[in-house]
Amino acid sequence: MPDQPELQQDEDAYWRSCKEFVRLIIAELNCSLKANRVSLKKRRQICTTFTFSLCNFLDHQWMKPSGRTQYPLLCFAKTYFDIDVPLELSQINFPHKSVELHAMVGDEINWFFNEIGEDGAAIATGDVGSETADVEIDEAVELLPQPCPTCTGTGQCFCIRKGGGDSTNCARCGGSGHCKHCAGSGEWRHP
């Protein structure tokens, strides 16, 4: 039996991988819609709705194949999962509990349509075997605080912001009334 892969829960690395994954979904869907002559306004609306729904499913939902509940799990591996060779994964970065995909959709839609002008080439992807060399990201760059995308900077849990206004028995915050994603600070520190 092969060695077990190294499991890691690196919030910043996972966030960057998720961001690129969300960008890829937006770019691929936009490309298909463009090929079918869907207007820019409609493409943006469809990309937003679909991507948010998919990310929300990955973040918070379950499915029941063959009558058994299963939860989707988005992980990123450092090696290709090849069906023709024995399983040998060296490193897997699995979800950090504070990272939610659906919270980044609005920013990534704006980035794709406004900042890069729908240029899918800005998203690095390719076929297995055509990989390019990895580069190191300067981890020393200070991450500037931004308003938390989940609580929009209020620091309050959903039960307070949009629920009944009472945090008692809230499964999200455990009764604290604080947003679990920013620990009630209202700030988010991701690039």
Side-chain angles (χ1 to χ4, degrees):
M1 179 173 232
D3 292 337
Q4 291 289 54
E6 174 193 341
L7 298 177
Q8 78 177 41
Q9 196 174 25
D10 180 332
E11 182 178 4
D12 291 329
Y14 187 74
W15 180 264
R16 284 190 298 271
S17 296
C18 286
K19 211 169 165 171
E20 201 68 14
F21 177 74
V22 169
R23 288 176 174 183
L24 178 63
I25 291 169
I26 294 166
E28 289 293 321
L29 180 55
N30 185 63
C31 187
S32 295
L33 294 169
K34 209 175 204 179
N36 285 284
R37 300 176 186 204
V38 176
S39 72
L40 172 61
K41 183 178 178 182
K42 208 63 167 155
R43 283 196 319 268
R44 186 180 176 117
Q45 181 182 20
I46 292 168
C47 285
T48 301
T49 304
F50 174 80
T51 306
F52 184 87
S53 180
L54 176 64
C55 290
N56 193 53
F57 172 73
L58 290 170
D59 284 337
H60 301 293
Q61 296 179 339
W62 51 266
M63 55 190 184
K64 226 178 214 358
S66 304
R68 303 209 182 250
T69 303
Q70 293 184 6
Y71 303 89
L73 182 62
L74 181 62
C75 299
F76 300 96
K78 296 295 270 176
T79 55
Y80 177 60
F81 189 65
D82 192 339
I83 62 171
D84 295 328
V85 296
L87 179 62
E88 290 185 25
L89 294 174
S90 60
Q91 185 183 63
I92 299 172
N93 195 0
F94 64 100
H96 190 279
K97 53 188 170 182
S98 70
V99 175
E100 289 190 326
L101 296 175
H102 75 278
M104 70 175 70
V105 172
D107 288 341
E108 298 315 314
I109 289 288
N110 286 332
W111 175 82
F112 184 77
F113 286 98
N114 298 347
E115 292 181 37
I116 67 163
E118 303 178 67
D119 181 11
I123 301 154
T125 185
D127 295 326
V128 172
S130 68
E131 294 86 354
T132 56
D134 288 347
V135 295
E136 291 297 319
I137 294 178
D138 185 4
E139 300 288 343
V141 174
E142 184 178 341
L143 302 177
L144 300 175
Q146 301 170 7
C148 174
T150 303
C151 69
T152 62
T154 66
Q156 297 175 331
C157 178
F158 181 86
C159 64
I160 303 293
R161 288 188 334 271
K162 297 185 178 182
D166 181 16
S167 62
T168 309
N169 298 323
C170 176
R172 284 186 174 100
C173 68
S176 72
H178 298 295
C179 173
K180 70 177 184 177
H181 306 284
C182 65
S185 72
E187 292 184 351
W188 197 247
R189 293 186 175 268
H190 285 286

